[in-house]
Amino acid sequence: YSYSGTRTATLMIVAGILLERSKTYLWIGRPLIGGGWAILYFTAYAAFGVQQAKIIDSPTVALGVLAAVAVGMLFHSLRYRNQVVTGLAFGLAFLAIVLTPVTLAGIVGSAVLAAALVVISRQLSWHHLAAVGVVGTYANHWLWLQKFAATSTLTTPASGLDAMLPGAAVFWLSCGILAFYWILFSIVSISRRDDRQAQPELHAFISMANTLGLAGLLYFQVTHAFGNHYLWAITGPVALATAAL
C-alpha cells in the first residue's frame, strides 16, 4: 500500500501541475494537487501508523518522514498561494488520519498538520483557512477521542507509536495536544494589527472557536474519565477569560 500510495500521490501532483497551467483545466488541476498531497501525507503516516501498510519501524524516521511531507505541502502552498488547494490538502490529510485506528502516531500526525496549517495561514494572512482549520482541527480531535472512548476497554499491546495507549496516558497526552492547539491558533488570533483591523469578525471567530474547542473537549475528557465537572469548572472560565483578553 505504501509504495502504491506514493506512486498514486506523485502522479496526481504531477498531473495537477501540468493541468493547472491551462485555464481550461485549472479547475481539475488544483484539486488533483491538493488530493495528491493529502494521499502522500496519509501514505507517510500509514507507513508507520497503520499495521497493514507498515514499512518503517523507527519512530524517529517515521516522524521525520511526516515532517518532510508536511514541509513539502507548506512550500508548495506558498508557491501556488491558493487557499482552496491548501485547504483541500489539509482537510483530506486530517480525514485520512482520523479514519485509522487510535494510536499515538495518529495524534502526532495531526499535531504536525495543525502546526503546518498555522504557519501557512499566518505567513500568507489566509485567515479564512485558519478559521476553517481551527474548527477542523478540534473536530478531528473530538472524533479521535470518540474512537478512543469506544475502544478503551481493549488490551494495550506492546509500547511504541503504533500501540494502543492506556486511558490515563491518553487523557494527559490529549490535554497536552489540546494546549498545543490552543497556543497555535492563539498565535493566529493575535496576529499583525493590520490583519486584525482588516478582518475583525474573522479574528474574533478564530479566538472564540479556539477557546470553545479547548473548553469543550476538556469537558468531554473530564466527564468521561472522572464522571464529574469539577476540573472543567476551573479550566472553562480560565479559557474564556483568555479569549476575552
Side-chain angles (χ1 to χ4, degrees):
Y1 172 83
S2 296
Y3 295 118
S4 62
T6 302
R7 288 196 299 268
T8 301
T10 302
L11 287 173
M12 288 178 65
I13 293 172
V14 172
I17 291 173
L18 294 175
L19 289 172
E20 66 92 25
R21 293 177 180 176
S22 169
K23 292 183 179 181
T24 304
Y25 300 106
L26 182 67
W27 64 277
I28 299 176
R30 288 184 172 174
L32 276 175
I33 295 171
W37 276 113
I39 291 175
L40 188 61
Y41 189 86
F42 176 68
T43 301
Y45 160 68
F48 182 86
V50 178
Q51 193 63 39
Q52 293 83 349
K54 186 172 182 177
I55 60 173
I56 300 175
D57 294 321
S58 169
T60 303
V61 173
L63 186 58
V65 171
L66 271 181
V69 176
V71 169
M73 290 173 62
L74 190 154
F75 279 103
H76 207 183
S77 297
L78 293 177
R79 178 176 180 271
Y80 281 91
R81 296 178 180 268
N82 185 282
Q83 291 195 68
V84 174
V85 174
T86 305
L88 179 63
F90 278 100
L92 291 176
F94 272 121
L95 179 62
I97 289 178
V98 82
L99 292 177
T100 57
V102 181
T103 62
L104 178 54
I107 202 168
V108 170
S110 296
V112 172
L113 273 179
L117 185 148
V118 167
V119 169
I120 291 174
S121 62
R122 181 170 171 80
Q123 183 69 25
L124 298 179
S125 297
W126 284 357
H127 301 301
H128 287 91
L129 177 64
V132 174
V134 68
V135 174
T137 298
Y138 282 110
N140 180 78
H141 195 82
W142 180 78
L143 291 172
W144 190 88
L145 287 174
Q146 289 285 324
K147 289 174 63 179
F148 176 79
T151 58
S152 59
T153 58
L154 297 178
T155 303
T156 304
S159 61
L161 281 178
D162 56 344
M164 179 73 70
L165 298 171
V170 168
F171 179 85
W172 294 112
L173 173 64
S174 180
C175 287
I177 292 293
L178 287 173
F180 175 69
Y181 289 156
W182 182 83
I183 292 172
L184 278 178
F185 289 105
S186 292
I187 292 173
V188 175
S189 64
I190 57 172
S191 59
R192 293 182 290 271
R193 179 181 295 273
D194 291 342
D195 291 335
R196 294 201 307 273
Q197 291 176 342
Q199 297 175 311
E201 298 85 1
L202 195 57
H203 279 81
F205 173 81
I206 293 171
S207 179
M208 292 307 299
N210 190 27
T211 297
L212 292 174
L214 172 68
L217 290 183
L218 283 178
Y219 173 79
F220 173 81
Q221 287 188 202
V222 171
T223 54
H224 180 73
F226 302 109
N228 60 51
H229 315 292
Y230 298 129
L231 180 60
W232 187 84
I234 298 173
T235 58
V238 171
L240 290 173
T242 57
L245 292 175

